[in-house]
Amino acid sequence: MLNRRQVLATGISIVALAPCAAPVFASTDLRGQLVQGTLMRGRTQPDARVWLDGRQLNLTTNGDFVFGFGYDRTNPATLKIQRAGEAAEEQKITLAKRDYKIQRISGLPDKFVDPPASVLARIAQEDKLIGAARAIDTDEAWFAGEFDWPVKGPMTGVYGSQRILNGVPKRPHFGVDIAAGEGTPIHAPIGSIVAMAEPDLYFTGGTVILDHGRGVSSSYLHMSRLDVKVGDRLAKGDVIGAIGKTGRATGPHLCWRLNWFQERLDAALVVPHA
Ligand SMILES: [Zn+2]
């Protein structure tokens, strides 16, 4: 069951935190909210083998592993763990369904709602860059730590909401939008390595993708300034750039996104709520 827990200053309510995952396996710690859009983090013996829905996951050298589920996942998942010299254990993971909002945004330039044919090749090329950054499977365990908010401010957009742009239904919004003044510093929420740093993407303007290890990445959109480059290693709190309104944005804000490989997750589920 879900509870509505918190109403932010903007009047947008967020899905409250469902119960954490119960310990499902002996000697395996598994953490996360059992809801659509969740990031689940676990640890087992470093020489164990782990599969999610039949796909083998790479563990870190400490035995940390991670996986996530998209906004519309409904069927139960199967997690299988086999520790060295033991029989495999299997557990079903069932996620609570969420109610997503409808968000209407008007007044956007048409070129962002219906891009002209002349920019489609550029958009496809940028999608490739983004997909490649999110496909990286680095042997680092930053993802297993505690995330901080990259910037503080009113939340003006939530994960999963159906977007209607200038009256045209579009795919859901997968970010958490945080409003802040142009030039406000944006901080790395946890240790990372910079996987992509592009000053001018068509839809998202100044865009950074941080790799937190084992397929977990976070994205920072519409930035006015980038202070990092690909390959930089960052500690939690390091400044990566500044708030802006570049790309498809109606005002200065950060659109913050969380991924497990190509699965789009809800970043609001991994940070503390004030
Ligand atoms: Zn957004």
PDB file of all heavy atoms in Angstrom, residues 157 163 173-177 221-222 253-257, ligand 1:
ATOM      1  N   GLY A 157       8.214  19.655 -10.778  1.00  0.00           N
ATOM      2  CA  GLY A 157       7.818  18.564 -11.667  1.00  0.00           C
ATOM      3  C   GLY A 157       8.246  17.254 -11.031  1.00  0.00           C
ATOM      4  O   GLY A 157       9.274  17.200 -10.353  1.00  0.00           O
ATOM      5  N   ARG A 163       2.963  14.172 -19.802  1.00  0.00           N
ATOM      6  CA  ARG A 163       3.180  15.549 -20.243  1.00  0.00           C
ATOM      7  C   ARG A 163       2.277  15.904 -21.411  1.00  0.00           C
ATOM      8  O   ARG A 163       2.176  15.153 -22.377  1.00  0.00           O
ATOM      9  CB  ARG A 163       4.642  15.709 -20.687  1.00  0.00           C
ATOM     10  CG  ARG A 163       5.602  15.896 -19.518  1.00  0.00           C
ATOM     11  CD  ARG A 163       5.646  17.335 -19.164  1.00  0.00           C
ATOM     12  NE  ARG A 163       6.397  17.650 -17.962  1.00  0.00           N
ATOM     13  CZ  ARG A 163       7.671  18.064 -17.956  1.00  0.00           C
ATOM     14  NH1 ARG A 163       8.353  18.121 -19.067  1.00  0.00           N
ATOM     15  NH2 ARG A 163       8.245  18.420 -16.831  1.00  0.00           N
ATOM     16  N   HIS A 173       7.196  12.361 -18.131  1.00  0.00           N
ATOM     17  CA  HIS A 173       8.375  13.082 -17.648  1.00  0.00           C
ATOM     18  C   HIS A 173       9.081  12.179 -16.648  1.00  0.00           C
ATOM     19  O   HIS A 173       8.462  11.678 -15.722  1.00  0.00           O
ATOM     20  CB  HIS A 173       7.896  14.352 -16.955  1.00  0.00           C
ATOM     21  CG  HIS A 173       8.976  15.145 -16.327  1.00  0.00           C
ATOM     22  ND1 HIS A 173       9.065  15.342 -14.967  1.00  0.00           N
ATOM     23  CD2 HIS A 173      10.023  15.809 -16.864  1.00  0.00           C
ATOM     24  CE1 HIS A 173      10.120  16.108 -14.712  1.00  0.00           C
ATOM     25  NE2 HIS A 173      10.710  16.398 -15.842  1.00  0.00           N
ATOM     26  N   PHE A 174      10.393  11.975 -16.854  1.00  0.00           N
ATOM     27  CA  PHE A 174      11.097  11.032 -15.989  1.00  0.00           C
ATOM     28  C   PHE A 174      12.037  11.711 -15.010  1.00  0.00           C
ATOM     29  O   PHE A 174      12.800  11.053 -14.313  1.00  0.00           O
ATOM     30  CB  PHE A 174      11.852  10.011 -16.840  1.00  0.00           C
ATOM     31  CG  PHE A 174      10.928   9.146 -17.631  1.00  0.00           C
ATOM     32  CD1 PHE A 174      10.809   9.281 -18.998  1.00  0.00           C
ATOM     33  CD2 PHE A 174      10.136   8.212 -16.995  1.00  0.00           C
ATOM     34  CE1 PHE A 174       9.936   8.502 -19.731  1.00  0.00           C
ATOM     35  CE2 PHE A 174       9.251   7.421 -17.711  1.00  0.00           C
ATOM     36  CZ  PHE A 174       9.155   7.563 -19.081  1.00  0.00           C
ATOM     37  N   GLY A 175      12.013  13.021 -14.963  1.00  0.00           N
ATOM     38  CA  GLY A 175      12.907  13.729 -14.055  1.00  0.00           C
ATOM     39  C   GLY A 175      12.202  14.225 -12.813  1.00  0.00           C
ATOM     40  O   GLY A 175      10.992  14.115 -12.667  1.00  0.00           O
ATOM     41  N   VAL A 176      13.000  14.764 -11.925  1.00  0.00           N
ATOM     42  CA  VAL A 176      12.514  15.541 -10.795  1.00  0.00           C
ATOM     43  C   VAL A 176      12.962  16.967 -11.107  1.00  0.00           C
ATOM     44  O   VAL A 176      14.157  17.208 -11.268  1.00  0.00           O
ATOM     45  CB  VAL A 176      13.153  15.051  -9.484  1.00  0.00           C
ATOM     46  CG1 VAL A 176      12.769  15.951  -8.322  1.00  0.00           C
ATOM     47  CG2 VAL A 176      12.775  13.609  -9.212  1.00  0.00           C
ATOM     48  N   ASP A 177      12.004  17.886 -11.223  1.00  0.00           N
ATOM     49  CA  ASP A 177      12.355  19.275 -11.536  1.00  0.00           C
ATOM     50  C   ASP A 177      12.470  20.072 -10.245  1.00  0.00           C
ATOM     51  O   ASP A 177      11.551  20.071  -9.430  1.00  0.00           O
ATOM     52  CB  ASP A 177      11.287  19.912 -12.427  1.00  0.00           C
ATOM     53  CG  ASP A 177      11.265  19.324 -13.828  1.00  0.00           C
ATOM     54  OD1 ASP A 177      12.332  18.894 -14.304  1.00  0.00           O
ATOM     55  OD2 ASP A 177      10.182  19.291 -14.430  1.00  0.00           O
ATOM     56  N   LEU A 221      20.046  18.420 -16.428  1.00  0.00           N
ATOM     57  CA  LEU A 221      19.615  19.009 -17.681  1.00  0.00           C
ATOM     58  C   LEU A 221      19.446  20.531 -17.564  1.00  0.00           C
ATOM     59  O   LEU A 221      19.218  21.039 -16.463  1.00  0.00           O
ATOM     60  CB  LEU A 221      18.274  18.392 -18.097  1.00  0.00           C
ATOM     61  CG  LEU A 221      18.282  17.002 -18.754  1.00  0.00           C
ATOM     62  CD1 LEU A 221      19.063  15.965 -17.975  1.00  0.00           C
ATOM     63  CD2 LEU A 221      16.859  16.504 -18.969  1.00  0.00           C
ATOM     64  N   HIS A 222      19.480  21.186 -18.699  1.00  0.00           N
ATOM     65  CA  HIS A 222      19.178  22.625 -18.816  1.00  0.00           C
ATOM     66  C   HIS A 222      20.206  23.516 -18.133  1.00  0.00           C
ATOM     67  O   HIS A 222      19.912  24.656 -17.770  1.00  0.00           O
ATOM     68  CB  HIS A 222      17.768  22.939 -18.265  1.00  0.00           C
ATOM     69  CG  HIS A 222      16.695  22.033 -18.762  1.00  0.00           C
ATOM     70  ND1 HIS A 222      16.457  21.852 -20.110  1.00  0.00           N
ATOM     71  CD2 HIS A 222      15.807  21.225 -18.112  1.00  0.00           C
ATOM     72  CE1 HIS A 222      15.451  20.986 -20.251  1.00  0.00           C
ATOM     73  NE2 HIS A 222      15.050  20.588 -19.053  1.00  0.00           N
ATOM     74  N   HIS A 253      15.712  25.890 -13.930  1.00  0.00           N
ATOM     75  CA  HIS A 253      15.485  24.769 -13.001  1.00  0.00           C
ATOM     76  C   HIS A 253      16.455  23.656 -13.365  1.00  0.00           C
ATOM     77  O   HIS A 253      17.055  23.658 -14.439  1.00  0.00           O
ATOM     78  CB  HIS A 253      14.039  24.265 -13.079  1.00  0.00           C
ATOM     79  CG  HIS A 253      13.716  23.462 -14.307  1.00  0.00           C
ATOM     80  ND1 HIS A 253      13.535  24.038 -15.552  1.00  0.00           N
ATOM     81  CD2 HIS A 253      13.556  22.127 -14.497  1.00  0.00           C
ATOM     82  CE1 HIS A 253      13.262  23.101 -16.442  1.00  0.00           C
ATOM     83  NE2 HIS A 253      13.273  21.922 -15.832  1.00  0.00           N
ATOM     84  N   LEU A 254      16.590  22.712 -12.448  1.00  0.00           N
ATOM     85  CA  LEU A 254      17.329  21.490 -12.754  1.00  0.00           C
ATOM     86  C   LEU A 254      16.336  20.379 -12.997  1.00  0.00           C
ATOM     87  O   LEU A 254      15.456  20.138 -12.163  1.00  0.00           O
ATOM     88  CB  LEU A 254      18.239  21.098 -11.574  1.00  0.00           C
ATOM     89  CG  LEU A 254      18.927  19.731 -11.730  1.00  0.00           C
ATOM     90  CD1 LEU A 254      19.926  19.745 -12.884  1.00  0.00           C
ATOM     91  CD2 LEU A 254      19.601  19.302 -10.435  1.00  0.00           C
ATOM     92  N   CYS A 255      16.444  19.708 -14.119  1.00  0.00           N
ATOM     93  CA  CYS A 255      15.739  18.442 -14.316  1.00  0.00           C
ATOM     94  C   CYS A 255      16.755  17.355 -13.979  1.00  0.00           C
ATOM     95  O   CYS A 255      17.782  17.231 -14.640  1.00  0.00           O
ATOM     96  CB  CYS A 255      15.249  18.309 -15.751  1.00  0.00           C
ATOM     97  SG  CYS A 255      14.260  16.831 -16.028  1.00  0.00           S
ATOM     98  N   TRP A 256      16.458  16.616 -12.916  1.00  0.00           N
ATOM     99  CA  TRP A 256      17.397  15.617 -12.391  1.00  0.00           C
ATOM    100  C   TRP A 256      16.833  14.223 -12.637  1.00  0.00           C
ATOM    101  O   TRP A 256      15.675  13.957 -12.294  1.00  0.00           O
ATOM    102  CB  TRP A 256      17.595  15.843 -10.886  1.00  0.00           C
ATOM    103  CG  TRP A 256      18.592  14.923 -10.266  1.00  0.00           C
ATOM    104  CD1 TRP A 256      19.730  14.456 -10.816  1.00  0.00           C
ATOM    105  CD2 TRP A 256      18.519  14.377  -8.940  1.00  0.00           C
ATOM    106  NE1 TRP A 256      20.394  13.647  -9.919  1.00  0.00           N
ATOM    107  CE2 TRP A 256      19.678  13.589  -8.775  1.00  0.00           C
ATOM    108  CE3 TRP A 256      17.600  14.490  -7.892  1.00  0.00           C
ATOM    109  CZ2 TRP A 256      19.933  12.902  -7.581  1.00  0.00           C
ATOM    110  CZ3 TRP A 256      17.850  13.811  -6.709  1.00  0.00           C
ATOM    111  CH2 TRP A 256      19.019  13.026  -6.559  1.00  0.00           C
ATOM    112  N   ARG A 257      17.638  13.370 -13.234  1.00  0.00           N
ATOM    113  CA  ARG A 257      17.162  12.039 -13.607  1.00  0.00           C
ATOM    114  C   ARG A 257      18.065  10.953 -13.076  1.00  0.00           C
ATOM    115  O   ARG A 257      19.260  11.187 -12.888  1.00  0.00           O
ATOM    116  CB  ARG A 257      17.062  11.928 -15.122  1.00  0.00           C
ATOM    117  CG  ARG A 257      16.072  12.925 -15.656  1.00  0.00           C
ATOM    118  CD  ARG A 257      15.989  12.938 -17.146  1.00  0.00           C
ATOM    119  NE  ARG A 257      14.931  13.856 -17.547  1.00  0.00           N
ATOM    120  CZ  ARG A 257      14.169  13.705 -18.606  1.00  0.00           C
ATOM    121  NH1 ARG A 257      14.341  12.672 -19.397  1.00  0.00           N
ATOM    122  NH2 ARG A 257      13.227  14.581 -18.896  1.00  0.00           N
TER     123      ARG A 257
HETATM  124 ZN    ZN B   1      12.230  17.772 -16.000  1.00  0.00          ZN
END
